[in-house]
């Protein structure tokens, strides 16, 4: 079961385009930097995600 | 995180400067601290929490400073009361000090300062660097909401297995296993998608604006339904708890005990029967969708047979001889009877006619193959009917069984309601009321789900419409692309989250079962349910009402398993962006409190394997004997808490605890 699911997981990652992979990675990294804040209010996480997408999708 | 040292200075009953170093050795990873009752074991456990998070979950939490130190304080003097923790995390060495300054004023008043914190780490070149955002840094190293899992009080630990605590368990698992980060990413990317849509709305023409306004409206409506559903689901949890309390009470009342137990066993049978019925219905649907067409093949096959039988190739062609064979005879110029075959002879003409009347093997084979297949189709159709007949009978039998079980459960309820003992009747009546309320809420949830489903369909429809809209403006096009990128990523993340949640649950289930079988004597099995409840079943597969000791072992197995997997994930050679994990210590106060001798031995024997560092704070009586026997070879550091009892020590007639290392 775990092996099967791991294969599914890998298949999803392989199915992503280079740009999508980069955006996903950057979003996760941005989230990690805010993960342990007790309160997310006032953090620019949504704007940061928008910037990540804007940088990669610009034409 | 690995703990190196803790310093207690005039903290609670620890007078003056007291220091404990923790073993970080791989083969002796246990530090044991033992002391008599009242010697400060629980204060020691809570000193970690106070230092890290500023919480002190003890009676009179404002009394941080040691009483004797306070009484020694002269006018216009002040003292510091603090806890200092030295630890390593993410390959850095940290020191964290939380302290308060207490002052005796000139007019003999005691003034307590506000708690202050100073945190440093040792830089690459050995220099000490101050950390200003210490709360965030501490939470990054050891999240505050997970602290009860790493600094746990053995006497309260059994709470984990009580109903209503699955949310805490879910939170811990998600946080430590990297699922929370995906959940947050999905939520925030969706917010980013909506902001792109707002941009698009501003840039678009009237039609675009109309579509997006409608989408926003639908999404808001769906969010409102989701919120309502959450409230109702929370209400169900409360009702479940209240129902459970009444049922537990019924099992405790002599006149109701047997009926309640019978009800539980019938419910279990009902659950099994409903599961079987679901499987049967699933098989029925599968069978019909895969083989249902066979039921309609009869007229076609009959017609084909009729055509082939009356007018088939067998009637038109010469059988038994192939064209190739006759061609060979003509080519050799000699018949099978030995006669020569001459040009323009009647023999040659006859053979040529015969050759025309023969057919290729392929056609015959095809016809034969078709007829053979026709028989196979017939056999499969018969099997389908037999199979459907079997499934229908099983469905009917299970439905009857379910009806009877429901009637039996209903009958038990009536018997309890009409019981001569007033308490029992009242308890059952209340239980029924609660159960009816739950049914009503479940119906509401069903209707809410229907609305959410409808809105989802409308949203998808509208989104498809929006995709088709041609955007003339470059800016609008770009905003739409970005919005779509967010949408696609959300789909990907949702898929990944689902897969990883399954993997994490499987891993945990496997690990908890292993730890549990080592710790528990009985042959019980433990199950982490879909909604993160820890359930224990006996050998017959029935749920178990656990004793306090069994609950303690169950909770310990869960904590051990999660810490172990977090460590494994952290140490994985190839990590991906989704892997979280971490090294966590286990600091336990009285982990053996409610256990019998055999279970103490089992837990003591296996506990050191669960984390890189294990700190056991234990009463002297719990330590001596089987626990010491099992753990002594694993102990890298040992301390004794020496309590000074003012009643017996006339030289020092005040209460305090002294930490003494045992060599």
């Amino acid at each position: 079961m775990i092996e099967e699911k791991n294969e599914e997981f890998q298949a999803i990652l392989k199915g992503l385009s280079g740009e999508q992979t980069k955006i996903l990675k950057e979003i996760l990294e941005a989230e990690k930097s805010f993960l342990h804040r007790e309160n997310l209010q006032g953090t620019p996480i949504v704007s940061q995600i928008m910037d990540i997408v804007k940088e990669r999708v610009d034409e | 995180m690995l703990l190196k040292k803790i310093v207690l200075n005039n903290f609670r009953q620890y007078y003056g400067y007291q220091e404990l170093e923790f073993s970080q050795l791989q083969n002796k990873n246990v530090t044991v601290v033992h002391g008599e009752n009242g010697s400060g074991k629980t204060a020691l456990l809570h000193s970690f929490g106070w230092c890290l998070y500023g919480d002190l979950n003890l009676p009179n939490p404002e009394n941080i400073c040691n009483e004797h130190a306070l009484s020694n304080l002269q006018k216009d003097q002040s003292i510091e009361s603090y806890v200092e923790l030295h630890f390593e995390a993410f390959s850095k060495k940290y020191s964290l000090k939380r302290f308060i300054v207490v002052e005796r004023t000139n007019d003999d008043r005691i003034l307590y300062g506000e708690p202050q914190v100073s945190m440093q780490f040792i830089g690459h070149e050995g220099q000490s660097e101050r950390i200003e955002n210490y709360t965030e840094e501490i939470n990054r190293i050891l999240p505050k909401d997970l602290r009860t899992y790493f600094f746990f009080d053995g006497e309260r630990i059994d709470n984990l297995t009580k109903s209503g605590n699955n949310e805490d368990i879910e939170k811990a698992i998600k946080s430590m296993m990297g699922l929370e980060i995906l959940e947050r990413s999905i939520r925030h990317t969706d917010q980013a998608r909506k902001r792109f849509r707002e941009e698009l709305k501003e840039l678009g023409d009237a039609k675009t604006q109309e579509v997006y306004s409608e989408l926003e409206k639908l999404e808001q409506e769906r969010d409102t339904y989701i919120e309502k559903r959450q409230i109702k689901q929370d209400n169900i949890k409360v009702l479940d708890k209240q129902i459970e309390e009444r049922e537990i009470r019924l099992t405790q009342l002599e006149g109701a005990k047997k009926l309640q137990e019978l009800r539980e066993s019938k419910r279990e049978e009902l659950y099994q029967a409903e599961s079987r019925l679901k499987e049967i219905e699933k098989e029925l649907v599968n069978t019909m969708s895969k083989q249902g067409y066979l039921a309609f093949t009869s007229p076609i096959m009959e017609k084909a047979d009729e055509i082939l039988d009356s007018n088939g190739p067998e009637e038109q062609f010469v059988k038994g001889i192939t064209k190739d064979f006759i061609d060979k005879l003509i080519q050799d110029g000699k018949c099978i009877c030995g006669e020569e075959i001459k040009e323009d002879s009647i023999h040659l003409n006859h053979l040529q006619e015969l050759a025309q009347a023969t057919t290729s093997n392929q056609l015959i084979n095809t016809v034969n193959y078709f007829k053979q297949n026709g028989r196979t189709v017939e056999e499969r159709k018969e099997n389908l009917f037999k199979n459907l007949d079997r499934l229908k009978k099983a469905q009917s039998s299970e439905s009857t069984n379910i009806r009877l079980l429901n009637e039996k459960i209903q009958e038990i309820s009536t018997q309890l309601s009409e019981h001569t003992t007033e308490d029992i009747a009242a308890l059952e009546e209340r239980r029924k009321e609660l159960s009816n309320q739950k049914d009503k809420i479940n119906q509401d949830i069903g209707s809410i789900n229907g609305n959410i489903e409808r809105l989802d369909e409308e949203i998808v429809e509208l989104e498809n419409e929006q995709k088709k809209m041609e955007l003339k403006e470059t800016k609008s096009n770009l905003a739409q692309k970005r919005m779509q990128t967010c949408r696609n990523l959300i789909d990907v993340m949702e898929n990944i989250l689902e897969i990883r949640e399954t993997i994490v649950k499987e891993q945990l289930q496997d690990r908890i079962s292993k730890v549990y079988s080592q710790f528990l004597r009985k042959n019980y099995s433990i199950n982490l349910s879909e909604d993160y409840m820890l359930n224990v079943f006996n050998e017959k597969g029935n749920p178990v009402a656990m004793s306090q000791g069994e609950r303690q072992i169950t909770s310990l197995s869960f904590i051990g398993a999660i810490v172990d997997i977090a460590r494994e994930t952290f140490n994985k050679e190839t990590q991906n962006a989704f892997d979280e994990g971490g090294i966590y210590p286990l600091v336990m106060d009285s982990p053996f409190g409610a256990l019998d001798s055999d279970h103490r031995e089992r837990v003591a024997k296996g506990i050191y394997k669960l984390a890189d560092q294990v700190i056991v704070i234990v009463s002297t009586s719990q330590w001596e004997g089987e626990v010491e026997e099992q753990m002594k070879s694993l102990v890298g550091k040992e301390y004794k808490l020496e309590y000074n009892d003012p009643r017996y020590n006339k030289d020092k007639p005040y209460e305090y605890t002294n930490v003494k290392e045992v060599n």
Side-chain angles (χ1 to χ4, degrees):
Chain A
M1 175 75 152
I2 292 180
E3 290 236 328
E4 204 179 289
K5 287 283 164 192
N6 268 327
E7 278 171 19
E8 259 182 70
F9 170 58
Q10 291 304 331
I12 292 177
L13 294 185
K14 275 186 190 162
L16 297 177
S17 68
E19 283 302 288
Q20 279 178 315
T21 309
K22 281 176 191 161
I23 298 173
L24 183 58
K25 204 171 169 226
E26 285 172 23
I27 291 177
L28 290 171
E29 274 165 13
E31 285 288 348
K32 268 191 188 181
S33 65
F34 293 114
L35 184 64
H36 300 299
R37 289 261 180 102
E38 278 189 44
N39 189 350
L40 272 181
Q41 269 186 348
T43 60
I45 183 67
V46 178
S47 307
Q48 216 167 315
I49 292 176
M50 285 180 82
D51 289 342
I52 291 168
V53 175
K54 276 179 186 170
E55 201 188 316
R56 301 278 171 199
V57 184
D58 60 354
E59 59 183 36
Chain B
M1 179 203 212
L2 283 180
L3 298 164
K4 194 170 182 295
K5 183 168 86 172
I6 193 166
V7 177
L8 309 170
N9 188 70
N10 291 326
F11 177 77
R12 304 283 287 195
Q13 65 210 83
Y14 293 87
Y15 175 58
Y17 180 97
Q18 308 283 345
E19 179 183 296
L20 290 97
E21 274 187 34
F22 305 111
S23 176
Q24 292 181 296
L25 300 170
Q26 266 188 347
N27 57 348
K28 286 176 178 259
N29 64 339
V30 178
T31 299
V32 65
V33 184
H34 48 87
E36 301 296 345
N37 289 340
S39 61
K41 296 189 295 295
T42 305
L44 174 62
L45 177 80
H46 288 275
S47 67
F48 289 97
W50 187 69
C51 182
L52 287 161
Y53 311 108
D55 295 342
L56 193 60
N57 193 11
L58 286 172
N60 307 318
E62 64 286 354
N63 293 348
I64 301 288
C65 191
N66 178 273
E67 256 181 45
H68 184 62
L70 266 183
S71 64
N72 280 349
L73 198 60
Q74 303 295 310
K75 284 180 183 175
D76 287 332
Q77 274 188 346
S78 63
I79 50 163
E80 245 188 25
S81 180
Y82 67 83
V83 176
E84 191 175 290
L85 200 56
H86 297 254
F87 55 92
E88 289 174 20
F90 309 122
S91 311
K92 280 184 190 167
K93 289 178 179 167
Y94 290 87
S95 74
L96 171 71
K97 180 177 169 183
R98 191 175 293 266
F99 61 99
I100 57 164
V101 177
V102 187
E103 183 191 350
R104 188 181 288 276
T105 59
N106 196 26
D107 54 353
D108 217 17
R109 283 181 301 124
I110 300 287
L111 295 180
Y112 287 88
E114 280 298 309
Q116 295 175 61
V117 174
S118 108
M119 187 178 188
Q120 283 97 27
F121 74 92
I122 311 295
H124 293 300
E125 286 162 18
Q127 79 284 16
S128 179
E129 291 187 27
R130 191 175 161 83
I131 298 169
E132 294 300 334
N133 58 341
Y134 60 85
T135 309
E136 202 179 318
E137 188 71 2
I138 293 166
N139 267 308
R140 196 169 71 86
I141 296 166
L142 202 67
K144 185 179 177 182
D145 46 11
L146 298 182
R147 67 192 185 284
T148 46
Y149 295 97
F150 310 116
F151 303 103
F152 63 81
D153 184 340
E155 276 156 22
R156 293 189 201 163
I157 190 183
D158 62 319
N159 283 340
L160 268 184
T161 54
K162 290 181 180 168
S163 61
N165 284 321
N166 48 334
E167 275 173 27
D168 290 346
I169 291 176
E170 182 177 349
K171 204 169 182 327
I173 292 173
K174 287 187 168 172
S175 173
M176 287 167 78
M177 308 309 291
L179 300 175
E180 189 186 353
I181 211 159
L182 266 168
E183 286 184 337
R184 287 186 186 213
S185 301
I186 291 168
R187 210 166 51 240
H188 296 139
T189 308
D190 196 43
Q191 286 174 18
R193 180 186 68 88
K194 285 178 181 165
R195 285 199 200 166
F196 282 127
R197 193 172 64 197
E198 278 164 28
E199 281 182 12
L200 190 52
K201 200 174 142 189
E202 279 169 25
L203 292 165
D205 55 16
K207 174 70 184 160
T208 313
Q209 288 183 357
E210 188 192 325
V211 170
Y212 287 123
S213 298
E214 183 60 19
L215 260 176
E216 268 173 28
K217 203 182 106 197
L218 291 175
E219 281 184 357
Q220 273 170 11
E221 204 181 329
R222 183 183 56 183
D223 289 348
T224 313
Y225 276 121
I226 290 172
E227 268 174 39
K228 275 188 191 168
R229 181 174 63 186
Q230 189 56 53
I231 292 170
K232 294 213 176 268
Q233 283 168 340
D234 290 346
N235 285 344
I236 284 196
K237 278 181 197 158
V238 174
L239 285 171
D240 273 339
K241 205 169 181 181
Q242 290 176 350
I243 292 170
E244 191 192 350
E245 278 167 14
R246 271 141 194 98
E247 291 188 349
I248 289 172
R249 184 80 192 104
L250 283 168
T251 53
Q252 290 163 345
L253 293 171
E254 202 44 54
K257 189 171 184 281
K258 277 191 179 161
L259 279 170
Q260 178 56 30
E261 281 172 356
L262 182 61
R263 171 155 64 189
E264 276 167 22
S265 101
K266 292 290 163 200
R267 265 200 212 132
E268 183 55 33
E269 282 179 42
L270 180 64
Y271 173 74
Q272 303 286 353
E274 283 172 341
S275 305
R276 282 195 301 270
L277 183 63
K278 265 189 201 162
E279 282 302 311
I280 292 166
E281 284 168 347
K282 204 167 131 191
E283 203 182 332
L284 260 171
V285 171
N286 272 344
T287 309
M288 280 311 287
S289 64
K290 284 182 186 161
Q291 300 172 25
Y293 68 93
L294 288 168
F296 306 100
T297 53
S298 289
I300 304 163
M301 294 311 289
E302 277 166 18
K303 186 72 184 165
D305 278 345
E306 194 186 310
I307 293 167
L308 289 174
D309 288 344
S310 62
N311 214 5
E314 286 97 335
E315 297 305 313
Q316 295 173 32
F317 299 110
V318 175
K319 294 176 191 169
I321 306 171
T322 66
K323 187 174 181 293
D324 293 347
F325 178 71
I326 297 171
D327 285 347
K328 180 82 171 62
L329 289 177
I330 294 169
Q331 193 191 336
D332 291 350
K334 205 170 190 175
C335 186
I336 45 170
C337 61
E339 196 75 28
E340 256 186 67
I341 304 164
K342 293 177 184 162
E343 288 279 332
D344 300 327
S345 67
I346 51 161
H347 302 296
L348 180 61
N349 289 343
H350 181 63
L351 281 172
Q352 281 170 338
E353 278 168 21
L354 271 180
Q356 275 179 4
T358 58
T359 184
S360 65
N361 285 337
Q362 196 186 352
L363 182 61
I364 296 291
N365 285 344
T366 307
V367 171
N368 287 338
Y369 182 68
F370 181 81
K371 287 194 166 182
Q372 185 65 36
N373 263 354
R375 281 192 287 277
T376 314
V377 169
E378 195 57 31
E379 278 168 24
R380 287 177 65 192
K381 190 179 74 184
E382 280 168 24
N383 283 341
L384 169 72
F385 285 148
K386 277 185 198 161
N387 206 11
L388 287 178
D389 191 40
R390 176 185 65 81
L391 288 169
K392 279 284 174 193
K393 279 182 183 156
Q395 186 187 31
S396 161
S397 153
E398 252 354 309
S399 301
T400 310
N401 190 19
I402 288 169
R403 181 177 56 79
L404 292 173
L405 283 166
N406 272 320
E407 283 173 10
K408 183 69 197 164
I409 291 166
Q410 184 61 40
E411 171 60 23
I412 293 169
S413 175
T414 310
Q415 283 182 34
L416 285 166
S417 293
E418 292 170 357
H419 204 279
T420 46
T421 312
E422 216 170 289
D423 276 1
I424 294 174
L427 268 172
E428 180 57 18
E429 275 306 308
R430 182 68 188 132
R431 193 203 66 83
K432 260 167 40 182
E433 276 170 29
L434 293 167
S435 188
N436 290 340
Q437 282 177 33
K438 191 180 150 185
D439 290 344
K440 170 81 184 62
I441 296 177
N442 270 325
Q443 278 173 13
D444 293 347
I445 291 177
S447 142
I448 289 173
N449 283 340
N451 280 320
I452 293 174
E453 221 168 280
R454 173 183 57 79
L455 286 163
D456 276 339
E457 281 169 15
E458 287 179 30
I459 289 168
V460 169
E461 210 171 293
L462 215 52
E463 276 178 342
N464 286 336
E465 193 183 321
Q466 161 249 308
K467 274 182 213 162
K468 283 179 205 156
M469 289 190 309
E470 281 185 24
L471 300 169
K472 289 177 187 136
E473 292 285 331
T474 320
K475 276 186 181 174
S476 308
N477 246 325
L478 197 53
Q480 193 178 35
K481 269 190 193 170
R482 286 168 177 165
M483 203 175 81
Q484 195 51 42
T485 302
C486 289
R487 175 78 265 163
N488 294 344
L489 281 170
I490 291 167
D491 290 344
V492 167
M493 287 191 280
E494 280 175 346
N495 282 338
I496 292 176
L497 177 65
E498 197 186 324
I499 292 171
R500 288 192 63 83
E501 204 167 353
T502 312
I503 294 175
V504 163
K505 274 188 184 167
E506 282 278 321
Q507 279 180 321
L508 261 174
Q509 175 64 61
D510 186 49
R511 200 63 55 95
I512 297 171
S513 298
K514 264 187 203 157
V515 179
Y516 198 57
S517 63
Q518 281 169 21
F519 284 1
L520 195 75
R521 183 175 54 230
K522 288 178 187 167
N523 204 9
Y524 286 172
S525 61
I526 187 164
N527 173 269
L528 183 68
S529 71
E530 276 300 303
D531 56 351
Y532 295 90
M533 270 294 289
L534 285 172
N535 297 312
V536 175
F537 299 96
N538 64 19
E539 286 149 322
K540 290 179 183 168
N542 294 323
V544 171
M546 288 179 278
S547 67
Q548 196 196 350
E550 284 164 350
R551 282 206 302 271
Q552 203 175 31
I553 288 176
T554 307
S555 302
L556 202 55
S557 305
F558 168 70
I559 292 172
I562 197 169
V563 169
D564 198 18
I565 292 180
R567 170 176 59 173
E568 196 178 278
T569 312
F570 186 80
N571 288 334
K572 241 169 66 172
E573 276 181 23
T574 47
Q575 283 200 336
N576 59 49
F578 306 96
D579 285 328
E580 189 70 359
I583 301 288
Y584 300 105
L586 277 180
V587 183
M588 303 175 284
D589 179 20
S590 304
F592 311 101
L595 309 183
D596 60 32
S597 163
D598 180 41
H599 280 125
R600 277 182 195 183
E601 193 176 324
R602 281 167 168 267
V603 172
K605 202 173 169 181
I607 209 164
Y608 76 98
K609 295 178 197 159
L610 300 178
D612 276 13
Q613 188 177 47
V614 177
I615 297 164
V616 180
I617 306 170
V618 66
S619 70
T620 308
S621 62
Q622 278 180 31
W623 170 245
E624 287 168 351
E626 55 284 282
V627 174
E628 186 179 9
E629 188 59 35
Q630 287 300 330
M631 294 186 93
K632 65 183 172 193
S633 62
L634 311 163
V635 172
K637 286 273 179 190
E638 182 178 345
Y639 293 92
K640 191 177 179 191
L641 301 180
E642 290 180 332
Y643 171 65
N644 181 60
D645 192 332
R647 290 174 301 171
Y648 306 113
N649 188 350
K650 299 296 172 203
D651 296 334
K652 293 181 176 173
Y654 46 88
E655 261 189 314
Y656 70 92
T657 291
N658 192 37
V659 178
K660 187 182 172 193
E661 186 168 359
V662 180
N663 291 312

